[in-house]
Coordinates of all heavy atoms in Angstrom, one line a residue:
Chain C
F61 N 239.6 -17.6 78.7 CA 240.3 -16.4 79.1 C 241.1 -15.8 78.0 O 241.8 -14.8 78.2 CB 241.2 -16.7 80.3 CG 240.3 -16.9 81.6 CD1 239.7 -18.1 81.9 CD2 240.1 -15.8 82.4 CE1 238.9 -18.2 83.0 CE2 239.4 -16.0 83.6 CZ 238.7 -17.2 83.9
G62 N 241.2 -16.5 76.8 CA 242.0 -16.0 75.7 C 241.2 -15.1 74.8 O 240.1 -14.6 75.2
P63 N 241.6 -14.9 73.6 CA 241.0 -13.9 72.7 C 239.6 -14.5 72.3 O 239.4 -15.7 72.2 CB 241.9 -13.9 71.5 CG 242.8 -15.1 71.6 CD 242.9 -15.4 73.1
P64 N 238.6 -13.6 72.0 CA 237.3 -14.0 71.6 C 237.4 -14.5 70.2 O 238.3 -14.4 69.5 CB 236.5 -12.7 71.6 CG 237.5 -11.6 71.6 CD 238.7 -12.1 72.2
G65 N 236.3 -15.3 69.8 CA 236.2 -15.8 68.5 C 236.9 -17.2 68.4 O 237.3 -17.6 67.3
R66 N 237.0 -17.9 69.5 CA 237.5 -19.2 69.5 C 236.6 -20.2 70.1 O 235.7 -19.8 70.8 CB 238.9 -19.2 70.2 CG 239.8 -18.2 69.7 CD 241.3 -18.6 69.9 NE 242.1 -17.6 69.3 CZ 243.3 -17.8 68.8 NH1 243.7 -19.0 68.8 NH2 244.0 -16.8 68.3
L67 N 236.8 -21.4 69.8 CA 236.0 -22.5 70.3 C 236.5 -22.9 71.7 O 237.7 -23.2 71.8 CB 235.9 -23.7 69.4 CG 235.3 -23.5 68.0 CD1 235.3 -24.9 67.3 CD2 233.8 -23.1 68.2
Y68 N 235.6 -23.0 72.7 CA 235.9 -23.6 74.0 C 235.1 -24.9 74.1 O 233.9 -24.8 74.1 CB 235.6 -22.6 75.1 CG 235.6 -23.3 76.5 CD1 236.6 -24.1 76.9 CD2 234.5 -23.1 77.4 CE1 236.6 -24.7 78.1 CE2 234.4 -23.7 78.6 CZ 235.5 -24.5 79.0 OH 235.4 -25.2 80.2
I69 N 235.8 -26.0 74.1 CA 235.1 -27.3 74.1 C 235.5 -28.1 75.3 O 236.8 -28.1 75.6 CB 235.4 -28.0 72.8 CG1 235.0 -27.2 71.6 CG2 234.8 -29.4 72.8 CD1 235.4 -27.9 70.3
Y70 N 234.6 -28.6 76.0 CA 234.9 -29.4 77.2 C 234.0 -30.6 77.3 O 233.0 -30.7 76.6 CB 234.7 -28.5 78.4 CG 233.3 -28.2 78.7 CD1 232.5 -29.0 79.5 CD2 232.6 -27.2 78.1 CE1 231.1 -28.8 79.8 CE2 231.3 -26.9 78.3 CZ 230.6 -27.7 79.2 OH 229.2 -27.4 79.4
L71 N 234.4 -31.6 78.0 CA 233.7 -32.9 78.2 C 232.7 -32.7 79.4 O 233.1 -32.3 80.5 CB 234.7 -34.0 78.5 CG 234.1 -35.4 78.5 CD1 233.5 -35.8 77.2 CD2 235.1 -36.4 78.9
S72 N 231.5 -33.0 79.1 CA 230.4 -32.9 80.1 C 229.9 -34.3 80.5 O 229.8 -35.2 79.7 CB 229.2 -32.2 79.5 OG 228.2 -32.0 80.4
Y73 N 229.7 -34.4 81.8 CA 229.2 -35.7 82.4 C 230.1 -37.0 81.9 O 229.6 -38.1 81.8 CB 227.7 -36.0 82.0 CG 226.9 -35.0 82.7 CD1 226.5 -33.8 82.2 CD2 226.4 -35.4 84.0 CE1 225.7 -33.0 82.9 CE2 225.6 -34.5 84.7 CZ 225.2 -33.3 84.2 OH 224.4 -32.5 84.9
G74 N 231.4 -36.7 81.6 CA 232.2 -37.8 81.3 C 232.0 -38.4 80.0 O 232.7 -39.4 79.6
M75 N 231.1 -37.9 79.1 CA 230.8 -38.6 77.9 C 230.3 -37.7 76.8 O 230.4 -38.1 75.6 CB 229.8 -39.7 78.1 CG 228.5 -39.2 78.7 SD 227.5 -40.6 79.2 CE 227.7 -40.5 81.0
H76 N 229.9 -36.5 77.1 CA 229.4 -35.6 75.9 C 230.3 -34.3 75.9 O 230.7 -33.8 76.9 CB 228.0 -35.2 76.3 CG 227.0 -36.2 76.5 ND1 226.7 -37.2 75.6 CD2 226.4 -36.6 77.7 CE1 225.9 -38.1 76.2 NE2 225.7 -37.8 77.4
W77 N 230.6 -33.9 74.6 CA 231.3 -32.7 74.4 C 230.3 -31.5 74.3 O 229.3 -31.7 73.7 CB 232.2 -32.8 73.2 CG 233.2 -33.9 73.3 CD1 233.1 -35.2 72.8 CD2 234.5 -33.8 74.0 NE1 234.3 -35.8 73.1 CE2 235.1 -35.0 73.8 CE3 235.1 -32.8 74.7 CZ2 236.4 -35.2 74.4 CZ3 236.3 -32.9 75.2 CH2 237.0 -34.2 75.1
C78 N 230.8 -30.4 74.8 CA 230.0 -29.2 74.6 C 230.8 -28.1 74.1 O 232.0 -27.9 74.5 CB 229.4 -28.7 76.0 SG 228.2 -29.8 76.7
A79 N 230.3 -27.4 73.1 CA 231.1 -26.3 72.4 C 230.6 -24.9 72.6 O 229.4 -24.7 72.6 CB 231.2 -26.6 70.9
N80 N 231.5 -24.0 72.9 CA 231.2 -22.6 73.1 C 232.0 -21.7 72.1 O 233.1 -22.2 71.7 CB 231.6 -22.2 74.5 CG 230.9 -22.9 75.6 OD1 230.1 -22.4 76.3 ND2 231.3 -24.1 75.8
I81 N 231.5 -20.5 72.0 CA 232.3 -19.5 71.3 C 232.7 -18.4 72.3 O 231.8 -17.8 73.0 CB 231.5 -18.9 70.1 CG1 231.2 -19.9 69.0 CG2 232.3 -17.7 69.5 CD1 230.3 -19.4 67.9
V82 N 233.9 -18.1 72.5 CA 234.4 -17.1 73.4 C 234.0 -15.8 72.8 O 234.2 -15.4 71.7 CB 235.9 -17.3 73.6 CG1 236.5 -16.2 74.5 CG2 236.3 -18.7 74.0
C83 N 233.5 -14.9 73.8 CA 232.9 -13.6 73.4 C 233.5 -12.5 74.3 O 234.3 -12.8 75.1 CB 231.5 -13.6 73.5 SG 230.7 -14.7 72.4
G84 N 233.1 -11.2 74.0 CA 233.4 -10.2 74.9 C 234.9 -9.8 74.6 O 235.4 -9.9 73.6
E85 N 235.5 -9.2 75.7 CA 236.9 -8.8 75.7 C 237.7 -9.9 76.1 O 237.3 -10.6 77.0 CB 237.1 -7.5 76.4 CG 236.4 -6.3 75.8 CD 236.5 -5.1 76.8 OE1 237.5 -5.0 77.5 OE2 235.5 -4.3 76.9
E86 N 239.0 -9.9 75.6 CA 239.9 -10.9 76.1 C 240.1 -10.9 77.6 O 240.3 -9.8 78.2 CB 241.3 -10.8 75.4 CG 242.3 -11.8 75.9 CD 243.5 -11.9 75.0 OE1 243.4 -11.4 73.8 OE2 244.4 -12.7 75.3
G87 N 240.0 -12.0 78.3 CA 240.2 -12.0 79.7 C 238.9 -11.9 80.5 O 238.8 -12.3 81.7
Q88 N 237.8 -11.6 79.8 CA 236.5 -11.6 80.4 C 235.9 -13.0 80.7 O 235.1 -13.1 81.5 CB 235.5 -10.9 79.5 CG 235.5 -9.4 79.7 CD 234.2 -8.8 79.0 OE1 233.7 -9.4 78.1 NE2 233.8 -7.6 79.5
A89 N 236.4 -13.9 79.9 CA 235.9 -15.3 80.1 C 234.4 -15.5 79.9 O 233.8 -16.1 80.7 CB 236.4 -15.9 81.4

Side-chain angles (χ1 to χ4, degrees):
Chain C
F61 287 82
R66 306 209 179 209
L67 295 179
Y68 165 50
I69 301 177
Y70 69 92
L71 187 64
S72 178
Y73 289 91
M75 58 192 104
H76 307 293
W77 297 98
C78 293
N80 299 253
I81 297 176
V82 179
C83 296
E85 294 173 31
E86 178 162 355
Q88 272 193 336

